[in-house]
Amino acid sequence: MNLPEEFLSKMREILNDEFDQFIKIYDFDSYKGFRVNTAKVSVKEFIDKMGIEFERIPWCKDGFFYTEELRLSKHPYYFAGLVYIQEPSAMFPVEALDVKEGEKVLDLCAAPGGKSIQIAARLGQNGLLISNDVKPSRIKALVKNVENLGLTNVVILNNKPKEIAESYGAYFDKILVDAPCSGEGMFRKDPTAAKKWTSNHPEKYVNLQRSIMTEVDELLKVGGEIVYSTCTFEVEENEGIIDWFLKKHKNYEVVEIKKYEGFSDGIEINGNENLKKAVRIYPHRVRGEGHFICKLRKVRESGFEWTFQPQRLEVDSEDLKIFEKFCNKYLNIDLSNFKDRVFYKKANKLYLGFDGPFDKITPLRNGLLLGEVYKGRFYPSAHLIASLKCENLKVAINFSQEDERLWRYLKGETIENKENLNGFVGICVDGFTLGWGKAEGHIIKNYFPKGWRLE
């Protein structure tokens, strides 16, 4: 693999005697990993259902290595939202954030959503994740992943960090800043990134990283924590950003992160020994790609502490009656479990979401998209069924993996109505929900979203 000479020169300075080991790793393929979506299935149940003894990723309690022979992205459980395929090292920033059930968390640079999904599963039903990305082109993948994995505790924004700070205030217990970066740690996984790399990349990204970090103090509660992470080796984009931030914000301290075998200390710069508490991940030392992770704690107020006053969202009672009628016919669910949520309608779409400062900013998704109310009828969403269990469905077909109708359904085809059902039908595999169909006569029309289908 051809790597830029300027990049190699910098890595010689950083790694010294380890440089030869580092460069040899580029002759080998990157490792593949996945996480179990514990919002839908426990790790034990997933492993039992798969019947495979996967090797655990040491630094992620629900992460595993796998080989390409498994073709995991073609497995029915992938389409059921039970797994998310993710580079192994990329799982560690959320582990370092140490999310607790019920917390309020902000993922500031979230797309395509791998870390947001990991956070949301840890938060539980009573937690809240604000998942934001400033680039509209990247939001589509974030929305798809949140919906496909059946996550109901996520609000998706497409706003600048300053706009979120002006709207929410110091609302969050934890913040993840997985910052845009020069991507040097991904060269082995994505050789095109190496071809696009130039020596002025770090300077370009440093300005962007500083602008993002400028806003986080106004968003974090006292006692709250930030994890700043990148997938680059550049000191300017890693320790340099943390050192700059600490000089501007004297009310923060660096928090020691547990280091697993093969993890390296951060690099001391400008005499700041606390930077050694950060983690550097090098691909020649662990079975993963390059990452930098640093954790900061806000130890006292900075003068910006306030939080928003919720703008209560309303919904027409007639729309709720239409939805309740659908529930009575097709679902077994107890909506009282969502006592902290609010029903609201945007255009024709009905949501079960969260109060927020939405007079100033408009979420692209707020909690659970239930479906659409149109001309007195309710049409359920793919997000709704992805959030349910098979036993929540009054009308369902639970396919085995060997059933040829399952594979036709995943491809988006119409399937036979052998069960002689009528109306909306939940389609499941091995007890896990996939999507909707609609039975009419001898056929079941396919409502599995086009962007989710097996190709």
Side-chain angles (χ1 to χ4, degrees), residues 71-140:
R71 300 183 72 214
L72 190 58
S73 64
K74 305 293 184 183
H75 196 284
Y77 291 172
Y78 174 83
F79 296 95
L82 305 190
V83 297
Y84 184 82
I85 295 171
Q86 190 174 26
E87 193 279 311
S89 294
M91 301 176 189
F92 187 65
V94 173
E95 294 294 329
L97 193 60
D98 191 25
V99 172
K100 299 290 194 299
E101 188 170 339
E103 288 184 323
K104 296 177 177 67
V105 180
L106 171 63
D107 185 357
L108 202 50
C109 312
K115 296 177 179 67
S116 278
I117 290 163
Q118 192 175 0
I119 293 169
R122 304 285 168 85
L123 285 173
Q125 189 168 276
N126 296 319
L128 169 63
L129 170 64
I130 305 298
S131 186
N132 176 75
D133 204 277
V134 72
K135 289 190 175 181
S137 60
R138 291 168 57 85
I139 286 288
K140 187 176 181 180

Side-chain angles (χ1 to χ4, degrees), residues 185-197:
M186 294 294 118
F187 283 178
R188 183 167 66 147
K189 184 171 180 280
D190 181 14
T192 59
K195 293 178 181 177
K196 295 177 181 177
W197 187 91

Side-chain angles (χ1 to χ4, degrees), residues 12-270:
R12 282 190 188 93
E13 289 183 29
I14 291 172
L15 292 171
N16 298 314
D17 295 342
E18 292 186 44
F19 177 75
D20 288 341
Q21 291 175 263
F22 170 77
I23 204 66
K24 286 177 183 176
I25 203 69
Y26 288 90
D27 293 330
F28 301 92
D29 292 335
S30 59
Y31 290 98
K32 301 189 183 303
F34 73 88
R35 280 187 300 97
V36 177
N37 176 20
T38 54
K40 292 196 72 167
V41 62
S42 70
V43 169
K44 183 181 185 304
E45 185 180 6
F46 177 81
I47 298 301
D48 289 346
K49 289 276 189 180
M50 289 292 290
I52 300 173
E53 286 296 323
F54 293 100
E55 183 181 355
R56 285 184 179 271
I57 294 171
W59 51 85
C60 181
K61 58 187 176 183
D62 47 25
F64 298 85
F65 294 106
Y66 79 101
T67 60
E68 194 63 60
E69 290 76 24
L70 182 59
R71 300 183 72 214
L72 190 58
S73 64
K74 305 293 184 183
H75 196 284
Y77 291 172
Y78 174 83
F79 296 95
L82 305 190
V83 297
Y84 184 82
I85 295 171
Q86 190 174 26
E87 193 279 311
S89 294
M91 301 176 189
F92 187 65
V94 173
E95 294 294 329
L97 193 60
D98 191 25
V99 172
K100 299 290 194 299
E101 188 170 339
E103 288 184 323
K104 296 177 177 67
V105 180
L106 171 63
D107 185 357
L108 202 50
C109 312
K115 296 177 179 67
S116 278
I117 290 163
Q118 192 175 0
I119 293 169
R122 304 285 168 85
L123 285 173
Q125 189 168 276
N126 296 319
L128 169 63
L129 170 64
I130 305 298
S131 186
N132 176 75
D133 204 277
V134 72
K135 289 190 175 181
S137 60
R138 291 168 57 85
I139 286 288
K140 187 176 181 180
L142 174 58
V143 172
K144 183 235 176 182
N145 284 321
V146 166
E147 293 188 352
N148 178 236
L149 276 77
L151 303 171
T152 67
N153 55 0
V154 183
V155 173
I156 298 178
L157 300 179
N158 177 213
N159 289 91
K160 296 176 181 178
K162 185 175 181 62
E163 294 170 337
I164 301 173
E166 290 172 347
S167 298
Y168 273 94
Y171 180 71
F172 298 99
D173 301 294
K174 305 274 174 69
I175 299 176
L176 176 65
V177 180
D178 187 42
C181 66
S182 52
E184 295 171 354
M186 294 294 118
F187 283 178
R188 183 167 66 147
K189 184 171 180 280
D190 181 14
T192 59
K195 293 178 181 177
K196 295 177 181 177
W197 187 91
T198 63
S199 57
N200 67 355
H201 255 128
E203 182 180 345
K204 167 189 169 184
Y205 283 103
V206 163
N207 293 331
L208 178 57
Q209 290 151 358
R210 286 185 176 185
S211 70
I212 293 169
M213 290 293 285
T214 296
E215 309 300 334
V216 294
D217 180 51
E218 294 186 37
L219 287 157
L220 191 67
K221 297 176 182 177
V222 174
E225 294 175 332
I226 300 167
V227 163
Y228 174 86
S229 65
T230 73
C231 57
T232 190
F233 302 116
E234 291 285 349
V235 174
E236 298 96 320
E237 298 180 58
N238 294 329
E239 291 88 353
I241 293 294
I242 301 301
D243 188 59
W244 166 85
F245 181 84
L246 292 171
K247 286 175 179 174
K248 290 179 68 69
H249 300 88
K250 305 295 186 182
N251 56 326
Y252 282 79
E253 64 182 11
V254 182
V255 179
E256 188 85 49
I257 302 175
K258 177 182 177 180
K259 292 182 172 71
Y260 290 81
E261 184 178 355
F263 285 12
S264 301
D265 291 344
I267 296 171
E268 178 184 341
I269 61 171
N270 299 327

Side-chain angles (χ1 to χ4, degrees), residues 412-452:
E413 299 175 12
T414 298
I415 58 176
E416 297 90 345
N417 184 10
K418 295 180 180 180
E419 292 78 7
N420 197 28
L421 302 171
N422 186 51
F424 284 102
V425 179
I427 306 297
C428 306
V429 56
D430 295 343
F432 301 108
T433 55
L434 283 167
W436 296 108
K438 193 169 186 184
E440 296 179 1
H442 298 297
I443 64 168
I444 298 176
K445 291 183 177 179
N446 198 314
Y447 279 38
F448 198 49
K450 289 182 179 179
W452 300 13

Side-chain angles (χ1 to χ4, degrees), residues 159 163 165-168 306 308 311 356-363:
N159 289 91
E163 294 170 337
E166 290 172 347
S167 298
Y168 273 94
W306 64 276
F308 71 94
Q311 302 296 310
F358 302 137
D359 56 331
K360 296 180 180 179
I361 55 178
T362 302

Side-chain angles (χ1 to χ4, degrees), residues 323 348-351 368-373 378-381 384:
F323 173 62
N348 290 324
K349 292 184 169 64
L350 185 65
Y351 292 83
L368 174 59
L369 170 58
L370 298 167
E372 195 167 351
V373 179
F378 180 78
Y379 299 87
S381 74
L384 173 60

Side-chain angles (χ1 to χ4, degrees), residues 258-296:
K258 177 182 177 180
K259 292 182 172 71
Y260 290 81
E261 184 178 355
F263 285 12
S264 301
D265 291 344
I267 296 171
E268 178 184 341
I269 61 171
N270 299 327
N272 189 346
E273 292 188 359
N274 282 320
L275 296 173
K276 293 180 179 179
K277 295 178 181 178
V279 169
R280 280 182 163 258
I281 301 177
Y282 296 107
H284 68 289
R285 301 197 74 195
V286 303
R287 293 166 65 187
E289 302 311 301
H291 266 77
F292 172 84
I293 304 96
C294 186
K295 189 172 186 176
L296 303 169

